[in-house]
């Protein structure tokens, strides 16, 4: 989810798509105090809060280093630059992702090799990676889409064998675990976004890169601030891609709450999964609703998004909207069919699973402060949809 949208209070909506910090008066007060303190000191770039957040986020992700950057997209760009991926190189990217995953590859002059996904989990798999290796491929970016951790060990094994890097796009999966280890800590580099609606969201744009490799951490630190060290001494050609101190200060406060919020998301997500899973088989014909599957049996999921699929997606969204329940689509176009990536020449039919999913998917509301009553309203509305007679549709 990106763009200049405002997520406002809307009293006509029974269940909003998400709820931001303004709905928690205590948190809002605390964060306003934090912002004021930063403003009063006039310390807006790097410094205490950025360094503090970096060491706290590294500890949280169980990595040796975290580097605060200006967005998730920039995290991916700097990761690829640090790995010296550029013109002539290919990077495997699932076409079923937010466009930023591919944009980062294009930004460094490399070519995204867009690939399809598993029809049930909607995620990339080791088989898909193996089938798409070419001599030009230097890296794969598994995306833990929706907050579900991809099955990484087989991907890491194939990448190791092929001598290519694994950069995790963990922009939707802060805090998720893979067989005990944190999302972002398994590939050579992990990338995070702190876009306001993410599980860990800033009050604006922000991102982070995590790694255990000191040389990569050092290079990314230089790249994000003009290759500068010390002041006005420029070692490499970098850019302006720092995490703002204001954002770092906000994120430090929120990081302390992240595990609790994720626990809430997990609880709500599995309850909704059970409620909807129980009704899917009863639905007549193409009104059946399927909840997106987990990539493997014991996979962790931090429910950044709760995604279902149905043949009658637009009717489902209309039905929910009539009952005051918000919904969204992540994403209406797979990357290869966007106008931006038409030049790759992957027309309709080339990556059929993602193309089909893009017409069937619907994201239901799910956020940590959702009440059981709100969850019940969603489950009841979806149940009513599956039981409506399709002949009644107008
Ligand atoms: C999967 C994924 N990758 C990358 C990004 C890019 O992050 P940002 O919007 O912070 O640049 C996002 C979020 O917007 C995302 O969801």
């Amino acid at each position: 989810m990106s763009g200049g949208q405002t997520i406002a209070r809307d009293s006509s909506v029974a269940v909003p798509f998400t709820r931001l910090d303004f709905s928690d008066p205590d948190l809002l007060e605390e964060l306003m105090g934090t912002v004021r303190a930063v403003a009063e000191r006039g310390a807006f770039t790097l410094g205490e809060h950025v360094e503090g957040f970096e060491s706290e986020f590294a500890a949280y992700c169980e990595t040796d280093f975290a580097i605060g950057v200006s967005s998730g997209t920039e995290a991916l760009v700097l990761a690829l630059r640090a790995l010296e991926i550029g013109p002539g190189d290919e990077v495997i990217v699932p076409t079923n992702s937010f466009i930023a995953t591919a944009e980062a590859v294009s930004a460094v002059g490399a070519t995204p090799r867009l690939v399809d996904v598993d029809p049930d989990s909607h995620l990339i798999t080791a088989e898909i990676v193996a089938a798409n290796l070419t001599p030009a491929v230097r890296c794969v970016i598994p995306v833990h889409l929706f907050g579900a951790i991809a099955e990484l060990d087989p991907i890491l094994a194939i990448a190791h064998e092929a001598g290519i890097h694994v950069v995790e796009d963990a922009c939707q999966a802060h805090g998720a675990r893979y067989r005990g280890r944190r999302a972002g800590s398994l590939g050579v580099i992990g990338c995070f976004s702190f876009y306001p609606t993410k599980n860990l969201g800033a009050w604006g744009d922000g991102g982070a890169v995590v790694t255990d490799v000191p040389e990569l951490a050092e290079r990314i630190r230089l790249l994000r601030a003009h290759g500068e060290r010390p002041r006005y001494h420029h070692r490499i050609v970098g850019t302006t891609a720092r995490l703002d101190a204001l954002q770092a200060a906000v994120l430090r406060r929120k990081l302390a709450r992240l595990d609790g919020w994720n626990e809430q998301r997990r609880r709500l997500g599995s309850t909704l999964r059970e409620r909807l899973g129980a009704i899917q088989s009863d639905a007549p014909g193409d009104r059946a609703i399927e909840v997106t599957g987990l990539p493997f049996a014991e996979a962790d999921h931090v429910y950044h998004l709760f995604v279902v699929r149905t043949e009658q997606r637009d009717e489902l969204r209309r039905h929910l909207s009539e009952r005051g329940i918000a919904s969204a689509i992540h994403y209406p176009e797979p990357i290869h069919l966007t106008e931006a990536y038409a030049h790759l020449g992957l027309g309709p039919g080339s990556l059929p699973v993602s193309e089909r999913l893009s017409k069937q998917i619907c994201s239901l509301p799910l956020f940590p402060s959702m009440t059981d009553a709100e969850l019940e309203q969603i489950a009841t509305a979806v149940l009513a949809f599956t039981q409506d007679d399709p002949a009644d549709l107008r």
Side-chain angles (χ1 to χ4, degrees):
M1 229 208 245
S2 250
Q5 75 262 56
T6 305
I7 297 133
R9 294 168 224 242
D10 181 353
S11 52
S12 68
V13 173
V15 187
F17 191 70
T18 192
R19 239 180 231 137
L20 294 184
D21 301 335
F22 56 68
S23 60
D24 177 342
D26 292 341
L27 177 61
L28 184 64
E29 260 332 287
E30 184 181 324
L31 296 182
M32 290 301 281
T34 303
V35 167
R36 169 172 273 280
V38 173
E40 281 172 352
R41 289 192 52 202
F44 295 113
T45 51
L46 300 179
E48 173 199 332
H49 280 301
V50 174
E51 284 166 23
F53 174 69
E54 288 176 342
S55 62
E56 287 152 20
F57 194 62
Y60 180 84
C61 293
E62 299 163 6
T63 55
D64 288 346
F65 307 98
I67 303 102
V69 297
S70 52
S71 69
T73 308
E74 209 53 58
L76 289 161
V77 170
L78 297 188
L80 296 173
R81 281 188 72 181
L83 293 168
E84 295 180 10
I85 288 168
D89 297 332
E90 290 185 345
V91 177
I92 295 178
V93 168
T95 193
N96 182 42
S97 180
F98 182 58
I99 193 169
T101 321
E103 281 177 318
V105 177
S106 304
V108 301
T111 305
R113 187 169 176 80
L114 295 171
V115 300
D116 220 337
V117 294
D118 173 73
D120 190 39
S121 70
H122 307 196
L123 304 182
I124 196 171
T125 64
E127 292 68 35
I128 295 168
V129 174
N132 282 281
L133 287 172
T134 70
V137 169
R138 290 204 45 223
C139 181
V140 53
I141 310 185
V143 182
H144 306 304
L145 200 67
F146 311 143
I149 195 96
E151 174 66 293
L152 281 178
D153 277 343
I155 295 178
L156 290 164
I158 284 172
H160 183 73
E161 203 174 305
I164 65 169
H165 300 295
V166 176
V167 170
E168 292 175 73
D169 181 338
C171 288
Q172 300 192 2
H174 318 70
R177 289 202 178 264
Y178 177 77
R179 304 187 196 281
R181 296 173 63 186
R182 291 281 197 193
S185 72
L186 290 114
V188 66
I189 298 179
C191 298
F192 293 86
S193 163
F194 304 126
Y195 183 76
T197 57
K198 300 295 193 219
N199 289 29
L200 179 61
W203 278 10
D205 284 308
V209 178
V210 298
T211 184
D212 287 333
V213 183
E215 297 75 22
L216 291 175
E218 170 68 5
R219 206 170 148 73
I220 291 165
R221 234 179 258 292
L222 284 174
L223 284 170
R224 72 156 177 201
H226 308 291
E228 186 179 58
R229 181 162 321 131
R231 190 80 171 132
Y232 298 128
H233 185 82
H234 304 281
R235 297 173 182 222
I236 55 175
V237 178
T239 187
T240 298
R242 299 173 291 247
L243 177 67
D244 285 341
L246 277 173
Q247 302 304 344
V250 165
L251 288 165
R252 292 180 83 179
R253 299 287 179 152
K254 294 182 71 176
L255 180 60
R257 294 164 164 90
L258 179 57
D259 276 340
W261 285 332
N262 276 346
E263 220 23 75
Q264 274 292 93
R265 287 180 183 271
R266 286 190 186 98
R267 185 183 70 79
L268 293 159
S270 28
T271 309
L272 197 52
R273 182 176 283 282
E274 271 166 35
R275 293 280 278 117
L276 301 187
I279 61 174
Q280 61 179 283
S281 52
D282 301 339
D286 55 6
R287 296 215 128 193
I289 304 271
E290 280 183 295
V291 181
T292 300
L294 295 174
F296 53 100
E298 64 279 29
D300 189 17
H301 198 324
V302 288
Y303 291 98
H304 173 57
L305 294 168
F306 190 97
V307 176
V308 297
R309 46 179 191 258
T310 169
E311 290 296 328
Q312 296 200 10
R313 188 264 308 281
D314 296 342
E315 289 78 2
L316 172 64
R317 293 197 69 202
R318 201 171 314 128
H319 173 94
L320 293 172
S321 160
E322 283 165 8
R323 285 154 184 79
I325 297 171
S327 67
I329 303 174
H330 299 94
Y331 297 92
E333 272 182 326
I335 298 173
H336 70 285
L337 294 187
T338 60
E339 198 181 333
Y341 279 103
H343 63 276
L344 293 179
L346 295 167
S350 54
L351 298 171
V353 174
S354 302
E355 290 171 32
R356 194 179 68 243
L357 291 174
S358 69
K359 298 195 167 58
Q360 298 175 333
I361 46 174
C362 174
S363 306
L364 302 177
L366 198 139
F367 44 87
S369 65
M370 177 179 274
T371 63
D372 289 344
E374 286 172 326
L375 185 116
E376 203 44 47
Q377 280 186 70
I378 298 169
T380 308
V382 175
L383 176 64
F385 175 78
T386 63
Q387 291 177 344
D388 273 1
D389 185 345
D392 288 347
L393 279 180
R394 34 201 147 251

